[in-house]
Every structure is written in structure tokens, then in C-alpha cells.
Amino acid sequence: VDTDGDTDLNLTEYIADTDPRDSNDFFRVYAINNNTAGRHVVIKSSAQRMYDLERSVTPLGEWLAIEGQTDLPGTGAVMLLHDTNAPSQWNCYRARVRLP
């Protein structure tokens, strides 16, 4: 069931700790920023959840966990997930959320 019509099922929203009655509240990557220290993936986190950052060459390719960016406890605020060893070519990123 998708109570708020945001395409995330209520179960998915429970896992992400978002409000299944608010179509503006769902888990997503807000931005990917490049700078001299690497790439930073911006997400809104929950202090009750854990987060992982993964990289792939293509959206359908093999997803690899980024060293040091797994099992990260949420802060309850915006979090920056870091890929400090990002290859020079552009990659796809995904942030994953799960129950602790």
C-alpha cells in the first residue's frame, strides 16, 4: 500500500523512517557534489536508521560499497556521505537505508 501516493510503499517508508501519509517525505538523494576532496552524496537521515553508500559505473551495473561509508548511524539531520576515492569518470551512486 502507498497511502500518500509518492510511489514508496508504506513498508519502504517504515524502513526509511519517513511519513507514509506525507507525499513530500520520502527517502532520496538530494544532491551529489564534487570538490577536491571527492564526491559527497547528500541525504536526510533518521537517528533511528543506518546508512550505506554504494557506487556503480552504470545504474544496472554491479553496486560496490564505498569503504568507510557503510553501517553509518543516522543523525536525524542532513548527512553527507563521502566518496573520497572517486574515480575520475562519473559514477552512479545510491544511498541505502535500513533498520539497525
Side-chain angles (χ1 to χ4, degrees), residues 21-47:
R21 294 163 295 180
D22 180 353
S23 62
N24 292 313
D25 188 21
F26 56 93
F27 182 69
R28 64 185 172 266
V29 170
Y30 286 91
I32 300 174
N33 301 318
N34 290 306
N35 64 32
T36 56
R39 293 195 183 104
H40 307 285
V41 176
V42 181
I43 63 168
K44 181 179 131 186
S45 72
S46 164

Side-chain angles (χ1 to χ4, degrees), residues 28-90:
R28 64 185 172 266
V29 170
Y30 286 91
I32 300 174
N33 301 318
N34 290 306
N35 64 32
T36 56
R39 293 195 183 104
H40 307 285
V41 176
V42 181
I43 63 168
K44 181 179 131 186
S45 72
S46 164
Q48 311 304 316
R49 299 297 185 262
M50 302 292 288
Y51 297 89
D52 304 311
L53 183 61
E54 298 176 339
R55 169 191 336 129
S56 178
V57 176
T58 68
L60 300 176
E62 179 183 3
W63 289 94
L64 303 171
I66 296 178
E67 186 176 343
Q69 296 299 291
T70 59
D71 298 321
L72 300 170
T75 63
V78 170
M79 282 180 67
L80 295 178
L81 306 177
H82 306 282
D83 186 1
T84 55
N85 295 317
S88 58
Q89 79 271 12
W90 185 251

